[in-house]
C-alpha cells in the first residue's frame, strides 16, 4: 500500500505527537503507512503525489481569515506552499481530507469565504448530516447526528460555488463539505478523543481560545463526551483510498 501523507503545522511537540498518533490509531495505519511533514519546521519539499494514497491536513494555530499584514512570515510561507499543492490536488481530484485548518485552506482556495461569524468554543457539539451527507461514501456508517469536538475562531460562512455541504451544527452551518468527488474538509476534529483534547487544552491554554484561568473548567466540561463517531471518517478515508 502506498502511504498516506499528513501535513501538520503545530510547533508544540506534545500536541504534534499526539495528533500524529491519533491519525495513525484512528486511521488503522502503521507508522510506515503515514508520512508526516511538519510544515512549521521547514519548507514543503517537492512532492510526487503518485507516491501517496491520499493527503490529510491537520489542525493548525494559523487563522486563514487574518489579514496578510497580521500573519507571520511562517504562516504566509505555509499558506503559499499549501496553495500551490492544492492547485494540483484539486485539478487531479486527488484524495484529500483537511481537519479544521483544512476548511480554511481548501475553502479559501476554491473561492469560499472564511471569517469569524461562526467560531465555536472548545467542546463537543452536535453535528447533523445534510441530505447529501447521508449519501456520501465517506460518511458510510456515520449516524445522521453525532457529537464531535470543535474549537475554532473562524469557519466557512459562504461555501465555494462548487462545494457540497455534508454536515452542520446549530452554531456553525458548515461542519463538513466536499469538492469534486474526493476532496473533503471538516470543521470539527475527527482525530480528537477526550485525552487528545485534554492535551491541547493544556498546550494552548495561553493561545486565546479561552481565559487561561478557566482551563480547569474547560477540561471538566469535556470529560465524559462521547466522540466515538468522528474517527470513523478517518478510517473510511483510509479504506476508500488505500491503493
Amino acid at each position: 500500500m502506498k502511504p498516506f501523507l499528513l501535513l501538520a503545522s503545530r510547533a508544540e511537540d506534545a500536541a504534534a505527537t499526539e495528533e500524529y498518533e491519533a491519525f495513525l490509531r484512528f486511521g488503522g495505519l502503521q507508522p510506515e503507512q503515514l508520512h508526516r511533514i511538519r510544515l512549521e519546521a521547514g519548507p514543503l519539499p517537492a512532492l510526487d503525489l503518485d507516491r501517496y494514497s491520499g493527503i490529510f491536513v491537520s489542525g493548525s494555530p494559523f487563522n486563514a481569515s487574518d489579514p496578510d499584514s497580521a500573519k507571520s512570515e511562517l504562516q504566509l510561507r505555509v499558506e503559499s506552499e499549501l496553495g500551490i499543492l492544492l492547485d494540483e490536488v484539486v485539478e487531479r481530484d486527488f484524495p484529500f481530507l483537511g481537519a479544521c485548518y483544512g476548511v480554511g485552506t481548501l475553502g479559501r482556495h476554491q473561492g469560499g469565504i472564511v471569517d469569524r461569524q461562526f467560531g465555536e468554543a472548545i467542546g463537543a457539539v452536535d453535528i447533523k448530516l445534510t441530505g447529501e451527507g447521508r449519501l456520501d461514501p465517506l460518511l458510510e456508517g456515520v449516524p445522521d447526528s453525532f457529537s464531535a469536538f470543535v474549537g475554532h475562531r473562524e469557519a466557512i460562512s459562504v461555501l465555494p460555488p462548487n462545494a457540497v455541504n455534508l454536515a452542520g451544527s446549530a452554531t456553525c452551518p458548515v461542519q463538513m463539505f466536499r469538492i469534486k468527488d474526493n476532496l473533503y474538509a471538516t470543521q470539527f476534529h475527527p482525530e480528537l478523543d477526550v485525552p487528545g483534547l485534554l492535551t491541547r487544552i493544556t498546550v494552548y491554554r495561553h493561545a486565546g481560545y479561552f481565559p487561561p484561568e478557566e482551563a480547569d473548567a474547560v477540561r471538566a466540561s469535556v470529560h465524559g463526551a462521547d466522540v466515538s463517531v468522528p474517527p470513523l471518517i478517518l478510517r473510511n478515508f483510509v479504506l476508500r483510498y488505500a491503493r
Side-chain angles (χ1 to χ4, degrees), residues 137-157:
L138 199 65
L139 295 167
E140 183 177 355
V142 173
D144 290 355
S145 180
F146 60 92
S147 186
F149 281 138
V150 299
H152 53 100
R153 300 184 182 94
E154 62 183 14
I156 286 274
S157 62

Side-chain angles (χ1 to χ4, degrees), residues 3-15:
F4 287 82
L5 174 64
L6 174 62
L7 299 177
S9 56
R10 298 186 187 279
E12 301 80 10
D13 286 340

Side-chain angles (χ1 to χ4, degrees), residues 103 107-108 110-115 117-118 155-161 163 173-174 177:
V103 167
R108 290 189 71 200
Q110 290 297 288
I113 296 176
V114 178
D115 56 31
Q117 290 188 61
F118 299 113
I156 286 274
S157 62
V158 179
L159 272 170
V174 180
F177 65 86

